[in-house]
Amino acid sequence: MLTLTCPYCGLQADETELHGGGEAHLTRFGPDSSDDEFEAYLFLRQNPRGVHAERWRHVYGCGKWFHALRDTTTLQVFGTYPAQTLTPPADLLKAAGVEPAA
Amino acid sequence: MPDLLETPETTVTDLPPGGMILLRGSLADAAFAEVLTGCGISVPGTRQIVPCTVGQVGWMSPDELLVFCEATASADLALRLDAALSGQHALVLRVDDMRARFRIAGPGARVALAKLCPVDMARIAPAELRRTRLAQIPAAFWTENGADFDLVCFRSVAGYARNVLTRAARHTQGIVLP
Ligand SMILES: [Zn+2]
């Protein structure tokens, strides 16, 4: 059972109270981008076996989107953080044993 | 012959929903809170439901409150709030007819809700407004006396809520919450 703490409610929300939103921190490519960039934005995902930053929505609770950093293999959750964040926080990456991108 | 497991003392009843007003705006914004206070509405803390001059007000999200008031008072109050909040980035919406309201009362109320919601029911204290999943639908509940619960859900699924709550309240004896 996956339990994530909603950064807005402070609740430890059960997975069934949440809605998954896929990979986080994508760069949106719009009308002026190349076909390759647009295709990658729409369809190509990392889908890693290991540490993954994801979007989740507290759909049965406060209704807000937020981010979670977790391991897709062990299901360990390193932490959650607000949607208004462009990259995973350094302390969570450290907990996950990942070097922050420069 | 009576069913020994039946616990008829836990009841589910329909309540008149009363007046409800949905308020959206940044709860962290002092100007927004000031206008609300002027209209008799306090700003509750995260996940709280508190009494106020007009009735009760509950925290729904960082930018949403739900005001519970008398059904006869909601039209006036909504107009007053709307006028007072003009010029601010805020929304006032009268939603009296949007939700149905139930009372789950009796010794098995917590157990009945625990069967239907992914909530640590043993830890729900008075003044907490818990929005969650009730079986397959969204709902919110709170308790004033620590024993009986009031629950609101969308009116379109009121029949479903009544059915699952009644069924869950039927057999609660002997179930101990962790
Ligand atoms: Zn939440």
Side-chain angles (χ1 to χ4, degrees):
Chain A
M1 184 65 77
L2 181 65
T3 304
L4 298 175
T5 302
C6 172
Y8 301 101
C9 302
L11 271 178
Q12 290 190 313
D14 178 276
E15 186 179 352
T16 62
E17 220 175 88
L18 304 167
H19 176 76
E23 187 179 325
H25 310 304
L26 298 176
T27 302
R28 182 182 180 277
F29 286 97
D32 294 329
S33 60
S34 70
D35 284 357
D36 283 349
E37 285 170 335
F38 191 58
E39 185 208 9
Y41 163 62
L42 280 184
F43 302 114
L44 305 184
R45 297 293 178 265
Q46 298 295 326
N47 196 23
R49 200 162 63 174
V51 179
H52 194 212
E54 294 170 339
R55 300 170 76 230
W56 286 87
R57 185 175 174 229
H58 195 187
V59 66
Y60 284 97
C62 65
K64 296 294 174 199
W65 284 97
F66 62 91
H67 288 135
L69 191 73
R70 67 179 189 112
D71 192 306
T72 58
T73 312
T74 63
L75 300 188
Q76 181 181 357
V77 177
F78 302 107
T80 54
Y81 49 103
Q84 294 75 18
T85 314
L86 297 178
T87 51
D91 56 327
L92 296 190
L93 287 173
K94 198 175 161 213
V98 176
E99 282 298 313
Chain B
M1 198 172 145
D3 182 347
L4 292 178
L5 288 172
E6 292 262 342
T7 47
E9 66 268 32
T10 302
T11 55
V12 178
T13 37
D14 286 64
L15 289 188
M20 288 187 220
I21 294 168
L22 176 144
L23 274 173
R24 295 203 82 140
S26 174
L27 304 187
D29 181 357
F32 183 66
E34 196 179 319
V35 171
L36 299 191
T37 315
C39 293
I41 295 165
S42 23
V43 177
T46 304
R47 295 199 336 266
Q48 300 290 295
I49 180 163
V50 295
C52 60
T53 328
V54 299
Q56 278 174 302
V57 55
W59 187 98
M60 299 289 274
S61 86
D63 58 3
E64 182 178 345
L65 298 177
L66 187 60
V67 180
F68 297 88
C69 61
E70 293 293 329
T72 48
S74 71
D76 265 5
L77 180 61
L79 284 175
R80 209 145 50 84
L81 281 164
D82 204 31
L85 284 166
S86 68
Q88 286 203 31
H89 187 65
L91 170 79
V92 179
L93 190 63
R94 194 178 159 212
V95 289
D96 294 11
D97 298 329
M98 191 164 150
R99 290 182 173 90
R101 185 164 172 172
F102 299 95
R103 174 157 299 157
I104 306 104
R110 274 176 198 265
V111 171
L113 286 171
K115 289 185 194 179
L116 299 167
C117 307
V119 174
D120 191 351
M121 284 307 297
R123 283 186 177 75
I124 294 288
E128 175 168 2
L129 175 67
R130 183 63 155 91
R131 299 182 76 180
T132 186
R133 176 179 62 80
L134 178 86
Q136 298 185 25
I137 59 168
F141 58 75
W142 69 97
T143 174
E144 272 166 43
N145 59 9
D148 306 326
F149 286 80
D150 276 20
L151 180 144
V152 288
C153 68
F154 291 125
R155 204 162 106 141
S156 53
V157 288
Y160 175 85
R162 190 182 302 111
N163 286 344
V164 290
L165 285 169
T166 309
R167 175 57 68 104
R170 207 175 282 167
H171 305 289
T172 53
Q173 223 165 34
I175 302 176
V176 179
L177 292 173

